[in-house]
Amino acid sequence: MASHLVRDLTVLLGPKAVLHKPEDLMLYEYDGSVETASPECIVFPKTTEEVSEIVRIANRYEAPLLGRGAGTGLSGGAVARAGGLVIVFSRMNRILSVDAENQRAVVQPGVVNLDLSRAVEHLGLYFAPDPSSQKSCTIGGNVSENSGGPHTLAFGVTTNHVTGLELVLTDGEIVRVGSKTAETAGYDLTGVFVGSEGTFALVTEITVRLVRKSETVKTLLAVYDTLDDATESVAEITRRAITPAACEMLDGFTLRAVEDYVHAGFPKDCAAVLLIEVEGLAEATIAQSAEITDVCRLHHAREVRVAKDDRERDLLWKGRKNAFGALGRLSPMYYVQDGVIPRTRLPETLRVIQDVSRRYDLRIGNIFHAGDGNLHPLILFDQRDPEEFKRVVAAGNEIMRHCISVGGALTGEHGIGMEKNELMPLMFSADDLALMGRVRAAFNPTGRLNPGKVLPLGKSCGEIRVHPLPVSVTAPA
Amino acid sequence: MTSPAQPSPMRLEEIVGPSHVVTNPAELSAWRVNHKDPRAAVQPTEAAQVAEIIRYAGAGGLGLIPSGGRTKLGIGLPPTRYDIALDLSRMNRVLAYDPEDLTLGVEPGVRVEDLRRTLLEEKQFLPLAVPFADRATLGGIAAANSNSPMRHSYGGVRDFCLGMEFVTGDGLQAKSGGRVVKNVTGYDLHKLLIGSLGTLAVITRLNFRTFPIPPVQRTFVASFRAAEPAFEFCQAIANSVLMPEIVEIADPAAAAIMLTKEPLASIDGRLWSVVIRTTGQSAVVNRCDQELSQLAVTAKAASLDALAGSDASSLLSGICEFPQLVLGTNPSALIFRIGLLPSALPSLHGIFSRLANRNRLGLVTLSRATGFMYAALLPERGTECVPAAMANIANEIFQACSAPEISAQTMLEWCPTEINAAVGTLWGTPRADSALMKRMKVVFDPKGILSPGRFAREI
């Protein structure tokens, strides 16, 4: 029997835009992380006004709710931890306007990241944040998570590319923050909103900057016989203040898996490769690639090759962007971390990860954004083995603690979500977290929007615990 | 309630030591804000002391205004209360600088000029070519969100500030962001403090990413006989493969003001000047040189000149110090800072020209091709300036800027106190998100003691 909540939503949106059968709900229990939880109802609005009405209906029944794009997030941000209602933005997927002269686009939250870049390609423009999931992840999700990607090394993450938002607040009010211009009057509400992981308000429209494509791009592959030589090369590239557009590293374990899967052209007998890209005027890329080649050779790269055409370049990137999938073939499950360290600490940190791998007897692949110190250790495991899972969690914590101990951060681009919220005290004091809780409460006073995310659930942090909504909830009088 | 409390010098001395509390009225004028002097100035050296001072002020309901180099205290509405000047100039240490990681952590009272020298030793810099460069501090630059011509290529403070530590109006010592170049851990609360004019929290530490100084830089000036071709030239640059570091458009009056400091052969005070700086390896800069020459010919520029090193730096300093130069020429100037889309720059300039003509005011504008304009309205020297009349003009500007075809974000950044009070707003008509901004103020400063009334009437 459908609840009153489902009934009211169906009246608003029609039966095709509301899912509530268990077999339909199952598809929305998870995202790209290891977390799962069951929602009670899924809705697919088409307009901002519908989103506002949905929020009002949810409030009538005190139902928890959250927004969801493609569900590719890696920290449980789009998992309905307290049950309730999930608003899926896949039908709000229009590019509303493109202003080539001013390099802006206005999009709905369900627009797929890569679709925007493809739509403006003929104008010589693109949307710079390029997460590995860019073929399916949505810009609404990118805004919530402040997503990065390989090319954010030179071009910045999502927050550097969003100038304005239309929001539906938790009382259903529709408000615009920021604008199309880079400078906005008053407090930078757009700035504090991007990366708030869906806990402040729902995003219904996004104004983004578009970036002009570079004249030339050169992609280099440097091949190493030791991991240390690869990490030392990255540290030296940073030290020499060379700024590539991207600087990615794959360790030998990972690249062998990738090669078997994608056939990208990575040599299978090496210890690590660096995938480095430089962009700009032809003169600039020639000079930069020469300097990078020098650094790599100095650190004993056995080969440095420049992709000779677009096909070879695309293949190398295909290898990089499908690496998580490739490792997924080796193991039923993997746990990917996202810690960040100062770039100078890369060599020692990779040694720590190798040591953790040995001590916990776990296979760990490393594939990550080396240029900005954003690690992605992938710990392989089998979830049917509870003892192994315990070791995975302990190993993950140890790596994370190391990152923090050298002055780093818990997450560079995947978000805190429900996966790392209990680790927040590693980086933030009780007062820091209390203030974050107060800011969230100013946006989301009932705590029913995306509950149980970002901040620890401990008693000191003002987290409002929301209990799962019984499906048979009745309407208030 | 009893009459407003007085700051107790003794209590403040207990916190920071006797030689760091000023109560002598003659000396207190150094911290004057909109004709108002504080009753005490206090100079802490530690974040914990800042927190203690704020808690003390909060307990007594005392209004407190933070300052560093005191260069931008004129920005903001007149304070509704001003009891304590919280002078952060002694918190001037570089706390962490890791040149190999290109990251930096500083206290708020570090002067941007001192930091420039420190970074120069490692051939690095922060892209903050801001006004009052000799005295401005990092905390003040962030709080006022000072605009810099380098915004064109490096973005604003929000784009390269990695995190902050700060003390809220209820004395909570908190932080957000971090020290690494990529980080999404927790809410980016520090973004709210950038441009908040000291109304949300007192900044006690700022972390930045630093940038390598490019090996070669070259500055060009293209001159035009009218506004349209100058703006079209900038649009052509934006559509090209060039990525200049700076693209500035000075109207003839702005060029003339910049020349008063130091005359330059390549700048003609009767023409529109577009100033471009390109950077990179010498091959890159040479290529930019060629491309720019072609674009200048197509745009029918009257001339295109490359500047010698010393001319280039004095021109750049004129550009950075634009607000100061204008105020030096005419202390009654109303200087608006306006964010807008590049395509709206010519129309906005037209609006200002017509309004200035109609009201017999002088007009000086300096624009950034990326979508920013300083527009200064200058009352004739010697004429009496009626605040109410000037306030009407300011309101007319706010209205014209918010018209859909302009859609600009406007702030009345500098003007005489009397006019400031008569206008009663820095931003024009309240925006739809004003309620959210007020909520932020209540979260950060529940008692309303930090720079009270300076951001907006209730903030």
Short mmCIF file of all heavy atoms in Angstrom, two decimals, chain B residues 266-295:
data_model
loop_
_atom_site.label_atom_id
_atom_site.label_comp_id
_atom_site.label_asym_id
_atom_site.label_seq_id
_atom_site.Cartn_x
_atom_site.Cartn_y
_atom_site.Cartn_z
N SER B 266 54.52 55.87 -24.06
CA SER B 266 53.63 55.03 -24.85
C SER B 266 52.16 55.20 -24.49
O SER B 266 51.30 54.59 -25.09
CB SER B 266 54.04 53.58 -24.67
OG SER B 266 54.18 53.32 -23.31
N ILE B 267 51.87 56.00 -23.48
CA ILE B 267 50.47 56.20 -23.12
C ILE B 267 50.07 57.62 -23.45
O ILE B 267 50.71 58.57 -23.04
CB ILE B 267 50.24 55.91 -21.62
CG1 ILE B 267 50.53 54.45 -21.36
CG2 ILE B 267 48.83 56.28 -21.23
CD1 ILE B 267 49.54 53.73 -20.53
N ASP B 268 48.99 57.72 -24.21
CA ASP B 268 48.49 59.02 -24.59
C ASP B 268 47.23 59.27 -23.77
O ASP B 268 46.26 58.54 -23.87
CB ASP B 268 48.17 58.98 -26.10
CG ASP B 268 47.76 60.35 -26.61
OD1 ASP B 268 47.18 61.13 -25.82
OD2 ASP B 268 48.02 60.64 -27.79
N GLY B 269 47.28 60.31 -22.95
CA GLY B 269 46.17 60.63 -22.05
C GLY B 269 44.90 61.05 -22.77
O GLY B 269 43.89 61.28 -22.14
N ARG B 270 44.95 61.14 -24.12
CA ARG B 270 43.72 61.49 -24.84
C ARG B 270 43.05 60.26 -25.44
O ARG B 270 41.98 60.32 -26.01
CB ARG B 270 44.05 62.49 -25.97
CG ARG B 270 44.51 63.85 -25.46
CD ARG B 270 45.24 64.61 -26.55
NE ARG B 270 46.37 63.81 -27.04
CZ ARG B 270 47.14 64.16 -28.06
NH1 ARG B 270 46.90 65.26 -28.71
NH2 ARG B 270 48.16 63.39 -28.43
N LEU B 271 43.73 59.13 -25.35
CA LEU B 271 43.22 57.93 -26.01
C LEU B 271 42.82 56.86 -25.00
O LEU B 271 43.15 56.93 -23.83
CB LEU B 271 44.31 57.35 -26.93
CG LEU B 271 44.80 58.25 -28.07
CD1 LEU B 271 45.86 57.52 -28.88
CD2 LEU B 271 43.64 58.66 -28.98
N TRP B 272 42.10 55.87 -25.48
CA TRP B 272 41.79 54.67 -24.69
C TRP B 272 43.02 53.76 -24.75
O TRP B 272 43.57 53.55 -25.83
CB TRP B 272 40.59 53.94 -25.29
CG TRP B 272 39.29 54.59 -24.93
CD1 TRP B 272 38.79 55.74 -25.43
CD2 TRP B 272 38.35 54.12 -23.96
NE1 TRP B 272 37.59 56.02 -24.85
CE2 TRP B 272 37.28 55.04 -23.95
CE3 TRP B 272 38.29 53.01 -23.11
CZ2 TRP B 272 36.19 54.89 -23.10
CZ3 TRP B 272 37.20 52.85 -22.29
CH2 TRP B 272 36.16 53.78 -22.27
N SER B 273 43.41 53.22 -23.62
CA SER B 273 44.59 52.35 -23.60
C SER B 273 44.18 50.95 -23.16
O SER B 273 43.47 50.80 -22.17
CB SER B 273 45.62 52.87 -22.60
OG SER B 273 45.95 54.20 -22.91
N VAL B 274 44.63 49.96 -23.90
CA VAL B 274 44.47 48.57 -23.46
C VAL B 274 45.85 48.07 -23.07
O VAL B 274 46.77 48.11 -23.88
CB VAL B 274 43.84 47.69 -24.56
CG1 VAL B 274 43.76 46.24 -24.10
CG2 VAL B 274 42.46 48.20 -24.94
N VAL B 275 45.99 47.67 -21.82
CA VAL B 275 47.29 47.22 -21.32
C VAL B 275 47.25 45.70 -21.22
O VAL B 275 46.36 45.13 -20.59
CB VAL B 275 47.58 47.84 -19.94
CG1 VAL B 275 48.94 47.38 -19.42
CG2 VAL B 275 47.51 49.36 -20.01
N ILE B 276 48.23 45.06 -21.85
CA ILE B 276 48.27 43.59 -21.87
C ILE B 276 49.62 43.14 -21.35
O ILE B 276 50.65 43.69 -21.75
CB ILE B 276 48.11 43.05 -23.31
CG1 ILE B 276 46.85 43.63 -23.96
CG2 ILE B 276 48.05 41.53 -23.33
CD1 ILE B 276 47.14 44.37 -25.21
N ARG B 277 49.61 42.16 -20.45
CA ARG B 277 50.89 41.57 -20.06
C ARG B 277 50.86 40.10 -20.42
O ARG B 277 49.92 39.38 -20.04
CB ARG B 277 51.16 41.75 -18.56
CG ARG B 277 52.55 41.24 -18.20
CD ARG B 277 53.07 41.88 -16.96
NE ARG B 277 52.60 41.16 -15.79
CZ ARG B 277 52.94 41.49 -14.54
NH1 ARG B 277 53.70 42.54 -14.31
NH2 ARG B 277 52.49 40.80 -13.52
N THR B 278 51.88 39.66 -21.15
CA THR B 278 51.98 38.25 -21.50
C THR B 278 53.19 37.67 -20.77
O THR B 278 54.15 38.38 -20.50
CB THR B 278 52.16 38.05 -23.01
OG1 THR B 278 53.37 38.72 -23.40
CG2 THR B 278 51.01 38.63 -23.79
N THR B 279 53.11 36.40 -20.45
CA THR B 279 54.19 35.77 -19.68
C THR B 279 54.48 34.38 -20.23
O THR B 279 53.65 33.79 -20.91
CB THR B 279 53.78 35.61 -18.20
OG1 THR B 279 52.57 34.86 -18.15
CG2 THR B 279 53.58 36.94 -17.51
N GLY B 280 55.64 33.88 -19.88
CA GLY B 280 56.01 32.51 -20.26
C GLY B 280 57.46 32.45 -20.69
O GLY B 280 58.23 33.37 -20.44
N GLN B 281 57.80 31.36 -21.38
CA GLN B 281 59.12 31.24 -21.97
C GLN B 281 59.26 32.30 -23.05
O GLN B 281 58.27 32.76 -23.60
CB GLN B 281 59.29 29.85 -22.61
CG GLN B 281 58.96 28.69 -21.72
CD GLN B 281 60.10 28.32 -20.80
OE1 GLN B 281 61.16 28.92 -20.88
NE2 GLN B 281 59.89 27.37 -19.91
N SER B 282 60.50 32.66 -23.41
CA SER B 282 60.65 33.75 -24.36
C SER B 282 60.00 33.42 -25.71
O SER B 282 59.42 34.30 -26.35
CB SER B 282 62.12 34.13 -24.52
OG SER B 282 62.84 33.01 -24.92
N ALA B 283 60.04 32.15 -26.13
CA ALA B 283 59.40 31.78 -27.40
C ALA B 283 57.89 32.05 -27.33
O ALA B 283 57.27 32.47 -28.31
CB ALA B 283 59.66 30.31 -27.71
N VAL B 284 57.32 31.80 -26.16
CA VAL B 284 55.87 32.01 -25.98
C VAL B 284 55.55 33.50 -26.07
O VAL B 284 54.62 33.92 -26.76
CB VAL B 284 55.42 31.44 -24.61
CG1 VAL B 284 53.97 31.80 -24.32
CG2 VAL B 284 55.64 29.94 -24.57
N VAL B 285 56.37 34.28 -25.37
CA VAL B 285 56.12 35.73 -25.34
C VAL B 285 56.30 36.33 -26.73
O VAL B 285 55.53 37.19 -27.15
CB VAL B 285 57.02 36.39 -24.28
CG1 VAL B 285 56.88 37.89 -24.31
CG2 VAL B 285 56.65 35.86 -22.89
N ASN B 286 57.30 35.83 -27.46
CA ASN B 286 57.50 36.33 -28.83
C ASN B 286 56.29 36.02 -29.71
O ASN B 286 55.85 36.84 -30.50
CB ASN B 286 58.75 35.71 -29.46
CG ASN B 286 60.01 36.25 -28.81
OD1 ASN B 286 59.99 37.32 -28.20
ND2 ASN B 286 61.10 35.50 -28.91
N ARG B 287 55.78 34.83 -29.54
CA ARG B 287 54.60 34.44 -30.32
C ARG B 287 53.41 35.36 -29.97
O ARG B 287 52.68 35.82 -30.86
CB ARG B 287 54.28 32.98 -30.00
CG ARG B 287 52.91 32.50 -30.41
CD ARG B 287 52.87 32.03 -31.85
NE ARG B 287 51.49 31.76 -32.24
CZ ARG B 287 50.83 30.65 -31.90
NH1 ARG B 287 51.44 29.70 -31.21
NH2 ARG B 287 49.58 30.49 -32.28
N CYS B 288 53.23 35.64 -28.66
CA CYS B 288 52.15 36.53 -28.22
C CYS B 288 52.31 37.90 -28.88
O CYS B 288 51.33 38.52 -29.31
CB CYS B 288 52.14 36.70 -26.71
SG CYS B 288 51.74 35.19 -25.84
N ASP B 289 53.55 38.34 -28.93
CA ASP B 289 53.88 39.61 -29.54
C ASP B 289 53.33 39.67 -30.97
O ASP B 289 52.59 40.57 -31.35
CB ASP B 289 55.42 39.74 -29.53
CG ASP B 289 55.89 41.15 -29.78
OD1 ASP B 289 55.10 41.93 -30.34
OD2 ASP B 289 57.04 41.47 -29.43
N GLN B 290 53.67 38.63 -31.75
CA GLN B 290 53.19 38.57 -33.15
C GLN B 290 51.67 38.58 -33.23
O GLN B 290 51.07 39.33 -33.99
CB GLN B 290 53.64 37.27 -33.81
CG GLN B 290 55.10 37.18 -34.12
CD GLN B 290 55.47 35.73 -34.47
OE1 GLN B 290 54.61 34.92 -34.80
NE2 GLN B 290 56.75 35.41 -34.38
N GLU B 291 51.06 37.70 -32.44
CA GLU B 291 49.60 37.56 -32.50
C GLU B 291 48.92 38.87 -32.12
O GLU B 291 47.94 39.28 -32.74
CB GLU B 291 49.12 36.44 -31.56
CG GLU B 291 49.72 35.09 -31.85
CD GLU B 291 48.91 34.29 -32.87
OE1 GLU B 291 47.73 34.61 -33.07
OE2 GLU B 291 49.49 33.36 -33.48
N LEU B 292 49.44 39.50 -31.06
CA LEU B 292 48.83 40.76 -30.60
C LEU B 292 48.93 41.83 -31.68
O LEU B 292 47.99 42.59 -31.90
CB LEU B 292 49.52 41.25 -29.34
CG LEU B 292 49.05 40.66 -28.02
CD1 LEU B 292 49.88 41.22 -26.87
CD2 LEU B 292 47.57 40.97 -27.77
N SER B 293 50.08 41.88 -32.36
CA SER B 293 50.25 42.88 -33.41
C SER B 293 49.17 42.72 -34.47
O SER B 293 48.56 43.69 -34.90
CB SER B 293 51.62 42.75 -34.07
OG SER B 293 52.61 42.80 -33.09
N GLN B 294 48.92 41.46 -34.85
CA GLN B 294 47.89 41.22 -35.87
C GLN B 294 46.52 41.65 -35.37
O GLN B 294 45.76 42.31 -36.07
CB GLN B 294 47.86 39.75 -36.23
CG GLN B 294 48.94 39.40 -37.24
CD GLN B 294 48.91 37.93 -37.61
OE1 GLN B 294 47.97 37.22 -37.25
NE2 GLN B 294 49.93 37.48 -38.31
N LEU B 295 46.21 41.25 -34.13
CA LEU B 295 44.89 41.60 -33.57
C LEU B 295 44.74 43.12 -33.49
O LEU B 295 43.66 43.65 -33.72
CB LEU B 295 44.71 40.97 -32.19
CG LEU B 295 44.60 39.44 -32.13
CD1 LEU B 295 44.56 38.96 -30.68
CD2 LEU B 295 43.36 38.96 -32.87
#
